[in-house]
Amino acid sequence: EPSPAGAEVGSAQAPPLGLELYRGVDLAGTVQVVEAAGPERRAEPWEEWWFWTSIGGAVVAVGIGVGVGEAGCNPTGQSIISDYFPAEKRPFALSLFASGLMIGKIFGIGGAGLLVVWVGWRHTLLILAVPGFVVALLVRLFIKEPAKCRFDALERNASPLPFWPTFLQLVATSSYLLICIALAFANFVIFGVQSWSPAFYMRTHGLTAAQVGAAVALVVGVGGVVGLLAGGYFTQRMMERDQRWPTLSA
């Protein structure tokens, strides 16, 4: 039976694709799904490149690829962590996993600002697509498939859950539905600010792309890493007193 964290997070972040990909964890394994999603996870530069060069139908195809990458990496990452760490150590492990996104922003946004100045935005988008393929290769070579559910009271050899009944059951759960709505509003704000802040500072305040990249990387990246790690550590310590702390922290 799949680890609960992966199914819930996957379906919350990209329903129903995240839930369907999470079923693939049972059939192909978590590492294989992460490996396949790696290049797609880094496909966003390609999406922007196709869009701004007006290659019509490719926008839809590449957009789907981005969705596959998002839905493939996050739930499978949660699943791997659940199989490697017992419940009492998962909060900090999950926060460390999430902080990888912020660390990527530090190097990605900060580095992108410099690359734009050096080689232009077109070549920058192409260069930023490369790390995903490198990471996919590293996952394939060095990450081993963990034993399923060794820390949880779940049946290891249970058959995969049927898609639609499981999806409908999740949608009918009010707490899950509220989490989905909260994530939608949070991402609406996050991506809106991240997308337009650089242009605002460059057009209104005369900053260069390199200056904006460095500032955003410092504020968003460093602040995000500190907040995530502190939150995970604090939650893990408080779980020793009360197992409800993960929910209270959220």
Side-chain angles (χ1 to χ4, degrees), residues 211-224:
Q211 290 172 325
V212 172
V216 173
L218 180 63
V219 174
V220 176
V222 176

Side-chain angles (χ1 to χ4, degrees), residues 28-45:
T30 49
V31 173
Q32 285 78 3
V33 176
V34 171
E35 175 198 352
E40 302 296 345
R41 185 79 165 94
R42 294 296 306 171
E44 187 173 352

Side-chain angles (χ1 to χ4, degrees), residues 40 43-67:
E40 302 296 345
E44 187 173 352
W46 287 95
E47 179 183 21
E48 295 179 5
W49 183 78
W50 283 114
F51 179 81
W52 292 114
T53 50
S54 301
I55 306 298
V59 175
V60 176
V62 178
I64 292 173
V66 174

Side-chain angles (χ1 to χ4, degrees), residues 21-240:
L21 279 173
Y22 185 71
R23 291 180 66 240
V25 169
D26 293 327
L27 304 177
T30 49
V31 173
Q32 285 78 3
V33 176
V34 171
E35 175 198 352
E40 302 296 345
R41 185 79 165 94
R42 294 296 306 171
E44 187 173 352
W46 287 95
E47 179 183 21
E48 295 179 5
W49 183 78
W50 283 114
F51 179 81
W52 292 114
T53 50
S54 301
I55 306 298
V59 175
V60 176
V62 178
I64 292 173
V66 174
V68 170
E70 292 282 350
C73 285
N74 292 322
T76 49
Q78 299 275 353
S79 175
I80 291 174
I81 290 172
S82 296
D83 290 331
Y84 271 121
F85 296 91
E88 62 271 14
K89 294 184 178 180
R90 283 177 197 159
F92 186 73
L94 289 170
S95 68
L96 187 62
F97 171 71
S99 68
L101 174 63
M102 297 300 171
I103 295 174
K105 287 186 176 182
I106 293 176
F107 293 100
I109 297 177
L114 294 175
L115 286 172
V116 167
V117 175
W118 293 340
V119 300
W121 64 267
R122 290 179 178 84
H123 290 91
T124 296
L125 293 177
L126 296 175
I127 292 171
L128 291 179
V130 174
F133 293 95
V134 177
V135 171
L137 179 61
L138 294 176
V139 168
R140 180 63 176 175
L141 294 176
F142 297 108
I143 297 184
K144 305 300 181 182
E145 185 72 29
K148 296 293 183 185
C149 308
R150 56 177 175 170
F151 297 114
D152 300 293
L154 300 173
E155 185 179 348
R156 293 187 180 183
N157 298 320
S159 59
L161 299 175
F163 175 75
W164 284 111
T166 304
F167 179 71
L168 294 175
Q169 182 179 0
L170 284 171
V171 173
T173 304
S174 58
S175 57
Y176 170 81
L177 199 58
L178 290 174
I179 291 174
C180 289
I181 295 173
L183 283 172
F185 278 108
N187 281 289
F188 178 82
V189 174
I190 290 171
F191 286 109
V193 172
Q194 289 183 358
S195 298
W196 295 107
S197 290
F200 168 75
Y201 286 113
M202 292 172 68
R203 296 172 183 175
T204 305
H205 299 283
L207 273 66
T208 66
Q211 290 172 325
V212 172
V216 173
L218 180 63
V219 174
V220 176
V222 176
V225 170
V226 173
L228 285 166
L229 294 181
Y233 176 79
F234 173 77
T235 300
Q236 186 166 298
R237 291 298 300 271
M238 296 306 295
M239 276 182 62
E240 298 174 0

